[in-house]
Amino acid sequence: GLRVLVVDNDAEALEAMRQMLLAWGCDVVAVADAAAAETSAGDAGLWLFDYHLDDGDTGVALWHRLVARHGPRPTVILSADTGGDTRDAVRGAGLSLLNKPFKPLALRWAINHLLAAPGTLPA
């Protein structure tokens, strides 16, 4: 029943993620761009963002904007980019990174790990 915001500019990846999370019993808000994410983020208890978004935007930059507006949420950044710059940007923000393609169990473990940490869900 957890509400999850998923942001990915790849329509196929977005739909696959939405279907997987629905199968896990999540309430999913799946959007393709940062503007839609900014209007949907406040009531989500978990954020899953692709690293490379449109127009040079990144999941980390989106995370910073949403935290400033809505407060922090457990967040996983997903990326097929295994380069050091991406890894450093994600880790520098203190976020979890999961490289694509990933096994569903790896994502589930990352989510469970984040949600188990005290004080991770908004009040």
Side-chain angles (χ1 to χ4, degrees):
L2 178 67
R3 186 173 198 110
V4 180
L5 172 63
V6 181
V7 182
D8 197 319
N9 58 349
D10 178 316
E12 289 180 22
L14 184 64
E15 181 59 18
M17 181 71 72
R18 189 180 79 79
Q19 290 296 328
M20 182 175 58
L21 292 166
L22 286 172
W24 291 351
C26 296
D27 177 15
V28 182
V29 177
V31 298
D33 60 63
E38 292 181 16
T39 63
S40 305
D43 59 351
L46 174 70
W47 296 337
L48 303 176
F49 301 156
D50 186 40
Y51 182 77
H52 291 289
L53 302 173
D54 290 333
D55 302 320
D57 201 5
T58 69
V60 172
L62 174 61
W63 176 81
H64 281 292
R65 294 191 306 270
L66 295 181
V67 165
R69 185 171 175 189
H70 301 287
R73 301 292 192 283
T75 304
V76 178
I77 302 294
L78 311 165
S79 184
D81 181 348
T82 59
D85 289 345
T86 297
R87 184 182 59 248
D88 292 346
V90 173
R91 289 187 180 158
L95 300 173
S96 297
L97 174 65
L98 190 59
N99 287 18
K100 296 177 182 179
F102 55 83
K103 295 183 188 285
L105 285 178
L107 178 61
R108 193 166 191 136
W109 181 89
I111 291 170
N112 288 339
H113 179 74
L114 283 172
L115 296 179
T120 57
L121 290 177

